Amino acid sequence: MPPRLSRPFQFLVASALVASGGLLLAQDAAPPAPPSPSGAIGDGSGSYEVGGIRVDVSAGNADAARYAGWRLAQRKGWQMLAARLGSSAGGVSDGTLDSMVSGIIIENEQIGPNRYVARLGVLFSRARAGALLGVADQEQRSTSMLTIPIAYSGGAAIAFEQDSPWAQAWSRFRSGNSSIDYVRPSGTGNDALLLNLGQTTRPGRAWWRIVLDQYGSNDVLVPIVRLSRQWPGGPIIGAFEARHGPDNKVVTRFTLRVGNADALPLLLDEGVKRIDAAYQADLRSGGLQPDSSLAYVPPVAPTPTPTPTPSDMPTDAAVVPGGAITLSPGDTATVAITVQVDTPGAAAVTATEAALRSLTGVRSAVTTSLALGGVSVMRVAYDADPALFRAQLEAKGWVVNGSGTTIRIRRAQASDGNPG
């Protein structure tokens, strides 16, 4: 059992194997936040990573030696980080380093009774370390990139339909030193349905916009690996591709090989690192720019219909009962009048249409509902006030019932005191 260290150097195992076979140890901290609704996990960009720090420390016991070794790794890591970012490390106390270190990576360690020999890595908080070194705003960062890893194994392509070593390798990858803003889905929920090989080969932009919006991304990266096994448990060859965008632009291709199946995680971790390096190089050369066709296109708002105001209405308009507005005789606008009439036979229909067309101001008179032996309905287009239409009908000997644009007419009988 490893020795127990006092805070702030009490560390907890936080994730699985890294490329060298060590364990990532993260500082004791609050529980991680729950995953977002989109199922995306953090991209690890909150830390700078410095690896390959060798320490050889002796002390009175194993606990003290390990404690001193990690302290020394922090100081060496800070010097290496400052040199890499082109800044001056200055004099920084151990207490300040404690507040900036977010994790220790044990790449290899040997613990003796009073000696500690190890190769370590240190994770520095990007916000705190960058502010202290004065480089917080100097780094070029890509836009947010939805990452869909595709692995071909045994002839089948797997993304998030099931857990795969390739997806695990991308989950292990710490992108703190990368200029690529990876958005890596967790593989739960709808990920298996939305993010698969079929989606990566779909050229249509409309569906891509929906998917990217759900995961809070502006573009897509598709890292691909094709695994070939020479024999069960034997050498494995990985053919890697880095693709970008919905049109599958190839950024790089390369091949790696390991001697046995146990080294598959090492093969995939190395492939992830090289693909990341290719993406960063493409970004620095001006590539990896978002496709403008993936931008959100707002819907076109319908043109509102203008509402008439009192000033737009004719000054000589007349208002009939019921609130309907009708036009005066001097206006040329046409109004539609519905006329109901008794039609005992076809001759009555023809005679009534002819009588209506003979009135002044009538453009047309058409039967819209024919009922021989009953009541038919006619539609009259009239160029004046319907009240004038009614007056003309009564002058021609018709009895008119109703008002406005819906009336019923019949021929006056002798009993009505009017000519037949």
Side-chain angles (χ1 to χ4, degrees):
M1 177 182 295
R4 182 177 178 83
L5 303 180
S6 60
R7 297 178 69 92
F9 286 87
Q10 180 182 351
F11 290 84
L12 302 176
V13 176
S15 71
L17 291 172
V18 296
S20 61
L23 292 175
L24 169 65
L25 302 182
Q27 277 186 312
D28 189 5
S36 63
S38 64
I41 63 175
D43 66 356
S45 61
S47 300
Y48 289 114
E49 178 183 350
V50 180
I53 305 172
R54 299 184 179 274
V55 296
D56 186 347
V57 180
S58 299
N61 54 61
D63 190 349
R66 199 182 196 197
Y67 181 94
W70 286 1
R71 283 282 196 186
L72 179 60
Q74 288 187 169
R75 299 189 199 105
K76 287 186 174 182
W78 178 249
Q79 298 289 336
M80 295 168 65
L81 177 63
R84 190 173 73 196
L85 297 179
S87 181
S88 173
V92 179
S93 66
D94 287 337
T96 303
L97 289 175
D98 291 345
S99 67
M100 289 190 294
V101 173
S102 56
I104 294 290
I105 306 165
I106 300 177
E107 298 176 359
N108 182 276
E109 68 175 3
Q110 301 175 46
I111 304 176
N114 56 7
R115 188 179 178 188
Y116 180 73
V117 180
R119 186 177 68 249
L120 305 174
V122 181
L123 299 178
F124 293 94
S125 168
R126 178 178 292 271
R128 296 178 182 177
L132 191 59
L133 294 173
V135 295
D137 298 324
Q138 296 179 10
E139 294 185 79
Q140 179 188 15
R141 295 283 291 174
S142 74
T143 185
S144 56
M145 299 283 189
L146 177 62
T147 307
I148 308 176
I150 304 290
Y152 287 86
S153 181
I158 300 173
F160 295 106
E161 294 85 349
Q162 64 186 48
D163 195 15
S164 70
W166 186 226
Q168 293 173 7
W170 277 97
S171 297
R172 289 194 299 270
F173 177 60
R174 295 182 302 280
S175 59
N177 294 332
S178 177
S179 57
I180 308 301
D181 184 7
Y182 295 102
V183 177
R184 294 176 286 185
S186 62
T188 59
N190 295 328
D191 294 345
L193 296 175
L194 296 177
L195 310 178
N196 48 44
L197 177 64
Q199 176 60 36
T200 62
T201 58
R202 179 181 285 119
R205 298 315 198 248
W207 186 250
W208 268 118
R209 283 194 289 265
I210 295 173
V211 172
L212 294 177
D213 181 68
Q214 180 168 346
Y215 288 88
S217 307
N218 298 320
D219 208 342
V220 60
L221 300 177
V222 184
I224 301 173
V225 62
R226 290 176 171 84
L227 299 176
S228 301
R229 293 172 170 83
Q230 304 302 295
W231 60 80
I236 300 177
I237 298 175
F240 296 86
E241 285 185 1
R243 295 178 177 268
H244 166 235
D247 293 328
N248 278 311
K249 170 195 170 186
V250 177
V251 177
T252 187
R253 286 192 178 102
F254 58 90
T255 302
L256 298 176
R257 181 183 185 276
V258 290
N260 56 71
D262 293 337
L264 178 60
L266 303 182
L267 172 77
L268 298 179
D269 288 344
E270 182 62 24
V272 170
K273 291 180 181 178
R274 294 198 184 189
I275 286 178
D276 173 67
Y279 282 141
Q280 293 190 68
D282 191 39
L283 178 65
R284 288 191 296 269
S285 64
L288 227 63
Q289 298 300 319
D291 191 333
S292 59
S293 64
L294 294 176
Y296 172 70
V297 179
V300 178
T303 304
T305 303
T307 303
T309 61
S311 59
D312 298 328
M313 298 179 183
T315 56
D316 54 352
V319 180
V320 299
I325 299 177
T326 60
L327 300 177
S328 66
D331 291 302
T332 59
T334 302
V335 294
I337 302 175
T338 301
V339 179
Q340 299 176 357
V341 60
D342 294 328
T343 51
V349 176
T350 304
T352 303
E353 287 182 347
L356 294 177
R357 293 191 188 103
S358 66
L359 299 179
T360 303
V362 173
R363 287 180 175 269
S364 64
V366 180
T367 301
T368 57
S369 177
L370 178 62
L372 297 179
V375 179
S376 297
V377 179
M378 299 181 181
R379 184 178 183 276
V380 178
Y382 190 62
D383 285 345
D385 191 336
L388 296 178
F389 179 71
R390 178 191 182 103
Q392 289 190 71
L393 287 172
E394 291 175 343
K396 293 289 185 178
W398 294 87
V399 176
V400 183
N401 296 317
S403 61
T405 57
T406 301
I407 60 175
R408 180 169 181 175
I409 63 175
R410 63 183 176 85
R411 281 292 185 181
Q413 302 297 324
S415 60
D416 297 330
N418 294 322

